[in-house]
């Protein structure tokens, strides 16, 4: 990707419409973000690690009149990330929005019909190194690798936006409130997931600091609890609702925030 950094940006504006890349776009919140950006007339790069699932989602979006292109992309695999970056560098030759949406949650048995509520969540003291490692591989290292690979393409945009899909559970303030007994909110004490999203929030700030004198904005988003595969569909809202706040951050005006952690109702405490 190094050669991309030295090219003349004025020669590389290939696509007239805005271009967004969404990781984990084959289902859940990512698919809805792809759909909503596509409905705005954007070209959406529908990324999925599994070609069958990714092509099915892309075909469904295309059938709805959306400009969608499938990209095979496993965020834990550098060669897959680099190959996607090279394809995008060739066409459409820039990126306006990167949505680091793909994420995993391996801990706990979710309350499902037939399972008692107290089987969820598993405790930090019994969470294995393997679970922590595989959670960080996607939620932290995956988002960082994607950002570094795509930034040269984003520098070719007039005003690029990076949205890191975090979680309310990333909030250290929320965890502190719960620990001190100051919160009656439902809290899932997930060692690997919560700390990985807190690390993603920290990385968001580090990128925002590096890019603060550019037109590129970097924010973390809490999409809110919604019913998807990641939580055994226990959320109370459809993923299309959660997608709205992500789309809002993807389309921020030039005076919008950068280095912020934002939820449906505004800024969240880190
Ligand atoms: P989901 O339906 O399980 O979707 C997760 C997506 O990530 C899937 O497309 C999955 O692909 C993809 N993915 C996982 N590992 C990947 C990898 N190594 N490479 C590429 N793609 C990978 O869950 P979701 O709720 O839509 O989650 C989307 C994001 O929202 C996640 O970051 C999650 O942490 C966050 N979030 C969700 C909620 C909620 O209530 N649902 C709340 C807060 C935050 P496969 O289909 O191949 O597995």
């Amino acid at each position: 990707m190094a050669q991309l950094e030295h090219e003349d940006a004025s020669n590389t504006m290939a696509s007239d419409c805005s271009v967004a890349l969404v990781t984990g776009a084959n289902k859940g919140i990512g698919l809805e973000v792809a759909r909503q950006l596509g409905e705005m007339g954007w070209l959406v790069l529908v990324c999925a690690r599994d070609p069958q699932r990714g092509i099915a989602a892309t075909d469904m979006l295309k059938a709805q009149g959306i400009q969608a292109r499938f990209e095979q992309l496993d965020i834990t695999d550098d060669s897959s990330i680099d190959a996607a970056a090279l394809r995008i560098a060739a066409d459409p030759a820039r990126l306006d929005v990167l949505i680091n949406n793909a994420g995993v949650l391996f801990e706990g048995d979710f309350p499902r019909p037939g399972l008692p509520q107290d089987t969820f969540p598993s405790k930090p003291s019994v969470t294995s190194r393997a679970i922590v490692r595989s959670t960080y591989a996607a939620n932290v290292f995956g988002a960082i690798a994607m950002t570094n690979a795509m930034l040269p393409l984003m520098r070719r945009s007039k005003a690029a936006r990076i949205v890191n899909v975090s979680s309310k559970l990333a909030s250290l303030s929320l965890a502190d409130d719960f620990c001190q007994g100051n919160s009656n909110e439902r809290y899932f004490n997930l060692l690997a997931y919560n700390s990985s999203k807190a690390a993603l929030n920290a990385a968001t700030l580090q990128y925002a600091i590096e890019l603060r004198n550019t037109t590129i904005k970097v924010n973390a988003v809490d999409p809110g609890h919604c019913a998807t595969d990641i939580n055994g569909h226990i959320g109370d809202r459809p993923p299309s609702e959660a997608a709205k706040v992500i789309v809002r951050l993807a389309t921020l005006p030039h005076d919008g925030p950068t280095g912020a952690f934002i939820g449906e109702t505004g800024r969240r405490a880190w």
Side-chain angles (χ1 to χ4, degrees):
M1 289 303 296
Q3 91 251 22
L4 289 175
E5 280 156 7
H6 303 296
E7 287 180 22
D8 178 358
S10 63
N11 291 331
T12 54
M13 297 295 182
S15 180
D16 285 342
C17 65
S18 298
V19 184
L21 183 160
V22 186
T23 63
N26 55 290
K27 68 179 181 184
I29 297 172
L31 175 58
E32 292 305 321
V33 170
R35 191 196 314 277
Q36 289 175 24
L37 289 173
E39 284 169 350
M40 293 164 48
W42 289 41
L43 168 62
V44 188
L45 305 176
V46 178
C47 298
R49 56 181 162 181
D50 180 85
Q52 223 174 338
R53 291 196 285 269
I55 289 168
T58 307
D59 286 348
M60 188 179 70
L61 293 172
K62 281 182 178 167
Q64 293 170 9
I66 286 167
Q67 291 185 76
R69 184 174 103 192
F70 168 63
E71 290 292 340
Q72 194 281 327
L73 207 158
D74 182 335
I75 60 165
T76 64
D77 176 357
D78 284 344
S79 60
S80 130
I81 293 175
D82 289 345
L86 281 175
R87 288 192 297 272
I88 299 163
D91 174 36
R94 72 160 205 285
L95 201 55
D96 299 295
V97 161
L98 167 63
I99 312 279
N100 282 316
N101 165 76
V104 293
L105 195 172
F106 295 123
E107 298 154 279
D109 295 320
F110 288 100
R112 296 187 176 102
L115 272 182
Q117 182 85 7
D118 63 6
T119 58
F120 176 81
S122 55
K123 296 186 173 99
S125 55
V126 296
T127 304
S128 68
R129 183 198 290 256
I131 290 227
V132 177
R133 196 196 297 275
S134 47
T135 304
Y136 274 61
N139 295 0
V140 186
F141 309 144
I144 288 173
M146 280 299 298
T147 303
N148 289 351
M150 298 302 157
L151 257 176
L153 295 164
M154 303 195 81
R155 291 183 193 278
R156 299 171 173 186
S157 168
K158 286 182 189 134
R161 308 284 180 253
I162 299 172
V163 185
N164 291 328
V165 181
S166 181
S167 165
K168 159 183 157 174
L169 296 172
S171 171
L172 298 183
S173 299
L174 178 72
D176 184 39
D177 281 349
F178 194 78
C179 186
Q180 307 309 326
N182 297 333
S183 172
N184 293 323
E185 271 194 62
R186 194 176 181 203
Y187 183 72
F188 298 128
N189 193 30
L190 304 172
L191 174 67
Y193 184 77
N194 296 6
S195 65
S196 73
K197 293 293 188 179
L200 177 64
N201 278 4
T204 301
L205 276 170
Q206 261 91 61
Y207 281 108
I209 291 167
E210 178 182 343
L211 297 166
R212 68 189 182 283
N213 294 323
T214 74
T215 58
I216 304 176
K217 295 184 188 297
V218 193
N219 290 294
V221 62
D222 163 23
H225 204 206
C226 66
T228 64
D229 285 352
I230 209 170
N231 57 23
H233 294 261
I234 59 167
D236 41 16
R237 301 144 68 238
S240 54
E241 281 302 307
K244 285 181 188 167
V245 61
I246 298 173
V247 168
R248 211 156 67 224
L249 287 178
T251 55
L252 280 175
H254 73 278
D255 58 350
T258 189
F261 180 29
I262 294 188
E264 217 175 10
T265 54
R267 282 191 187 243
R268 277 204 162 273
W270 291 106

